[in-house]
């Protein structure tokens, strides 16, 4: 009888132990006996060392801005605009002073000279328009003049020259003491003639002539 009672006591104790081992944990979840390692710990329970941040690779560095190439156009107004001569108008008698000097008496050759007296550049176009005193008509043109795009450009104070030929004394002409000059402007601009004294200038009706404007006296008298 005592043996049966002892066995019953032992069985009750074992049952109670089993129920406590398999019962719910304090938070209500079943305790399986396994433990999840905390974050940052290895499976063995040793905390892991956080990995060092990676340095940015060379390819991730933004490229430096490239310098403009030599062929890139410069900003601002172009050099062609500052060098344009579209606003250089033909010279008129209001822009110049005029002189005439005897170069060769036997042929009544004179050196004509104009000088830009204005404060801006102008172009000496074509041939001078020369008349002889009270004679009708004007000097004929000798030599070919450049076009308006290539006409002689006179800056302020610069001069141009032309050679005037009256002709040899052949008995067919007349003598005059002055000449008058106007400029070719390729327009109907009204000009005031400029005069110069030419004592004893003999004007042959068949031989008188004048050269186009050039930039030196030697060429003016040799054309």
């Amino acid at each position: 009888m005592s043996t049966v009672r002892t066995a019953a006591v032992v069985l009750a104790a074992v049952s109670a132990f089993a129920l406590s081992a398999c019962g719910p944990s304090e938070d209500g979840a079943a305790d399986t006996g396994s433990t999840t390692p905390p974050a940052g710990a290895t499976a063995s329970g040793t905390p892991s060392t956080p990995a060092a941040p990676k340095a940015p690779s060379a390819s991730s560095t933004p490229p430096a801005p490239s310098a403009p190439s030599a062929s890139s156009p410069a900003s601002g107004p172009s050099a062609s605009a500052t060098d344009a001569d579209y606003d250089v108008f033909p010279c008129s008698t209001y822009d110049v002073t005029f002189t005439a000097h005897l170069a060769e008496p036997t042929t009544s050759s004179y050196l004509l000279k104009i000088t830009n007296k204005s404060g801006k550049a102008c172009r000496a176009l074509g041939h001078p328009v020369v008349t002889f005193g009270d004679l009708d008509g004007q000097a004929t043109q000798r030599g070919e003049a450049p076009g308006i795009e290539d006409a002689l450009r006179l800056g302020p104070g610069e001069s141009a020259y032309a050679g005037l030929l009256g002709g040899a004394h052949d008995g067919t002409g007349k003598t005059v003491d002055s000449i008058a000059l106007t400029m070719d402007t390729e327009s109907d601009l009204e000009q005031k003639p400029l005069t110069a004294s030419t004592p004893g200038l003999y004007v042959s009706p068949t031989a008188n002539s004048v050269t186009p404007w050039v930039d030196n006296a030697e060429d003016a008298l040799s054309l």
Side-chain angles (χ1 to χ4, degrees):
M1 188 69 175
S2 63
T3 301
V4 172
R5 186 178 300 170
T6 302
V9 171
V10 171
L11 180 60
V14 170
S15 297
F17 178 80
L19 288 174
S20 64
C22 297
S25 61
E26 293 182 358
D27 59 358
D31 188 358
T32 60
S34 62
T35 306
T36 303
T42 63
S44 62
T46 303
S48 61
T49 303
K54 293 183 179 180
S57 63
S59 60
S60 65
T61 303
S66 58
S69 63
S71 59
S72 300
S75 61
S78 63
S80 59
T82 57
D83 294 338
D85 279 343
Y86 62 86
D87 58 345
V88 178
F89 294 98
C91 302
S92 76
T93 56
Y94 297 105
D95 300 313
V96 300
T97 59
F98 167 55
T99 59
H101 299 283
L102 181 63
E104 174 53 54
T106 59
T107 57
S108 290
S109 294
Y110 276 80
L111 176 66
L112 310 183
K113 177 183 178 181
I114 57 170
T115 301
N116 184 357
K117 68 176 182 178
S118 72
K120 62 184 185 303
C122 65
R123 290 191 182 277
L125 300 187
H127 295 72
V129 180
V130 179
T131 56
F132 302 99
D134 57 358
L135 300 182
D136 293 333
Q138 63 189 48
T140 59
Q141 295 180 354
R142 180 172 83 250
E144 185 176 356
I148 186 171
E149 298 84 0
D150 301 315
L152 189 60
R153 184 183 188 279
L154 300 182
E158 294 182 337
S159 299
Y161 305 85
L164 175 66
L165 179 66
H169 291 253
D170 58 3
T172 62
K174 293 184 177 180
T175 300
V176 296
D177 293 329
S178 67
I179 59 174
L181 174 141
T182 56
M183 301 293 294
D184 177 8
T185 62
E186 292 195 347
S187 70
D188 57 358
L189 175 68
E190 186 175 348
Q191 301 178 69
K192 179 181 179 181
L194 303 176
T195 59
S197 177
T198 55
L201 170 61
Y202 185 82
V203 182
S204 169
T206 58
N208 73 82
S209 61
V210 67
T211 70
W213 294 113
V214 294
D215 62 1
N216 66 88
E218 183 177 356
D219 287 347
L221 295 174
S222 60
L223 290 175

